[in-house]
Amino acid sequence: SHALPQTQIDVARKVADFIGIPLMEVSTAEGSDEAYIRNDGHACFVCKTHLYSTLNAVANAFMEQYIDNNNLDGQSGSDQQKVILYNGTNADDTRDPTRLGLQESVCH
């Protein structure tokens, strides 16, 4: 995302490398969304909508690949593993009505 400072991307890359986990970088499109560009007080909400929609698509693709690679076709939806996304929000931030991006995250 162009909304994320390069320094934070660099830190994420270094942490992933240091702890030995893969890091998948994906693009989001909030920068082309008129509501985001207009920035009428809801830019965080729009940005999180794009972020979580993208992350859900990545998670679904990952699970499809996992199921295919492990010959798990035919399992019912309730039998399949689910990907759980965490966002690292501070607990007290969830009570802040001005955190519109967090309100959007509840939808996903």
Side-chain angles (χ1 to χ4, degrees):
S1 169
H2 296 289
L4 187 63
Q6 186 62 45
T7 54
Q8 290 185 6
I9 295 169
D10 293 341
V11 167
R13 290 173 179 159
K14 288 176 184 173
V15 168
D17 184 56
F18 181 77
I19 63 176
I21 61 170
L23 175 67
M24 178 187 291
E25 296 181 36
V26 296
S27 297
T28 57
E30 72 278 355
S32 62
D33 189 313
E34 286 297 321
Y36 181 80
I37 294 167
R38 200 169 44 251
N39 196 11
D40 59 1
H42 294 90
C44 289
F45 186 88
V46 175
C47 184
K48 293 297 186 197
T49 299
H50 284 274
L51 173 64
Y52 287 109
S53 295
T54 300
L55 290 176
N56 279 323
V58 169
N60 290 338
F62 174 82
M63 286 310 301
E64 286 177 19
Q65 182 179 6
Y66 177 82
I67 289 167
D68 288 346
N69 289 346
N70 291 286
N71 298 317
L72 300 176
D73 289 329
Q75 283 192 345
S76 70
S78 61
D79 293 337
Q80 294 178 5
Q81 293 286 329
K82 303 292 183 199
V83 174
I84 300 171
L85 302 174
Y86 294 93
N87 72 4
T89 299
N90 294 322
D92 60 345
D93 287 347
T94 62
R95 295 186 299 273
D96 183 346
T98 66
R99 302 293 302 265
L100 299 178
L102 292 180
Q103 293 175 17
E104 172 56 24
S105 68
V106 173
C107 299
H108 294 278

